[in-house]
Amino acid sequence: LSLAAMEYVEGQSLEDLYGIAPLSPDVQQAVPMALEILQMGNFVFGDLPRPNVMLANGTQPVNERIHFIDSNWAGEEG
């Protein structure tokens, strides 16, 4: 049995924010940047539909507010 406890993120999923509309340019840049950070730590996140990407509330730049959720398909590479 394993359990992953995560912080609560106040915000909205990309699906809630954009539906099927194109993502804003800053979000389009922020998601790959976040994935690159994971890859540098040898982690992969294999399930990234819009409902699994959250944009936290706040005034920070978008790239600091992106969160990946529902990490069933995430783990260490290899």
Side-chain angles (χ1 to χ4, degrees):
L1 178 65
S2 63
L3 172 71
M6 296 178 234
E7 69 179 294
Y8 177 75
V9 176
E10 286 197 38
Q12 292 182 285
S13 73
L14 296 187
E15 181 178 57
D16 291 338
L17 288 168
Y18 294 96
I20 60 170
L23 301 174
S24 66
D26 51 351
V27 170
Q28 288 181 24
Q29 292 175 351
V31 171
M33 287 173 57
L35 285 171
E36 188 174 311
I37 292 168
L38 287 176
Q39 289 173 345
M40 289 188 314
N42 290 324
F43 286 91
V44 293
F45 200 104
D47 190 22
L48 278 179
R50 289 180 183 206
N52 290 357
V53 182
M54 297 274 304
L55 183 61
N57 296 339
T59 58
Q60 303 92 338
V62 168
N63 66 323
E64 295 178 18
R65 296 188 290 132
I66 290 288
H67 294 263
F68 299 143
I69 62 170
D70 193 10
S71 57
N72 291 340
W73 291 95
E76 203 164 351
E77 191 174 359

